[in-house]
Amino acid sequence: MSLPHPSTDQINLSNVLAALGDQTRLAIVAELARMGDGPVSCSHFLIFASKTNLSYHLGKLREAGVTRTEVCGTSRFTTLRRADLDQRFPDLLASIIAGASTADEPEQDTA
Amino acid sequence: MSLPHPSTDQINLSNVLAALGDQTRLAIVAELARMGDGPVSCSHFLIFASKTNLSYHLGKLREAGVTRTEVCGTSRFTTLRRADLDQRFPDLLASIIAGASTADEPEQDTA
DNA sequence: CCAATTGTTCAATGAATTTTGAACAAAGGC
DNA sequence: GCCTTTGTTCAAAATTCATTGAACAATTGG
């Protein structure tokens, strides 16, 4: 029925940052925010990665406590855990989403 | 004399998040903040990692644009690039530092 | 029941990251 | 000039992460 999610107080900062420190996952979160925090079904994110790979990335986001996934029939709906993240790390999610939306072109590290 | 640093507009969000999504580097940044944003010499961070390993992590932070390193004799002083980061990603650094300082015990992901 | 849809798990691979020790370089102090 | 201090570079090893395809499971529609 339901998948394992960390409780709010189990959400760890470096896990969250590591989860979001990946182009694909950051794009997923930005898209979730653009969609009003969800719920959004997995297939919606096929624009970002293959089905199998998506399963992996969505799992990472869920395990880090960034998203919540609810099973509904053969579909799964993902939501941003905004309230939980805000409680744990005020302003963090908002600033990340704002930064991700602001033209973040594929500019690599120029050291 | 001076080391290569990305310019402010070259600082990329997912690079910054990936840089901070590591316990050691997050601890270094939190310590820098605790020290008033630096400058702090490398050896100060020996509490977090070995000399060689520190060289690696401080390099990562510098390349991501999180810190600035200035050479001074045989020492190197690291500073937080707070103004640059604030300009690029408002509130991000402050929320991360606040979250890192708030008792972030070694709690692992409980998925 | 059969077929299609939605998404997962598994094992394998390739790639990137982290960590280490040995050797090195550049000051600075005596 | 030598020795110490501070920190780097290099190559290797260990670990972790990301990506893939094949096979599977659950639900829904006809």
Side-chain angles (χ1 to χ4, degrees), chain B residues 42-43 51-52 55 74:
Chain B
C42 303
S43 57
K51 201 168 54 156
T52 311
S55 201
T74 125

Side-chain angles (χ1 to χ4, degrees), chain B residues 28-47:
Chain B
I28 288 172
V29 167
E31 177 64 8
L32 265 171
R34 204 183 65 79
M35 300 289 283
D37 291 7
V40 173
S41 79
C42 303
S43 57
H44 179 84
F45 302 112
L46 284 171
I47 33 171

Side-chain angles (χ1 to χ4, degrees), chain A residues 11-21 64-66 85 89 92 96, chain B residues 21:
Chain A
I11 299 177
N12 166 274
L13 183 58
S14 71
N15 283 163
V16 170
L17 296 177
L20 297 178
V66 176
L85 289 166
F89 311 114
L92 179 65
I96 290 176

Side-chain angles (χ1 to χ4, degrees), chain A residues 22 25 50 52-53 56-57 73-74:
Chain A
D22 171 277
R25 292 189 294 260
S50 69
T52 311
N53 198 208
Y56 169 74
H57 285 303
T74 122

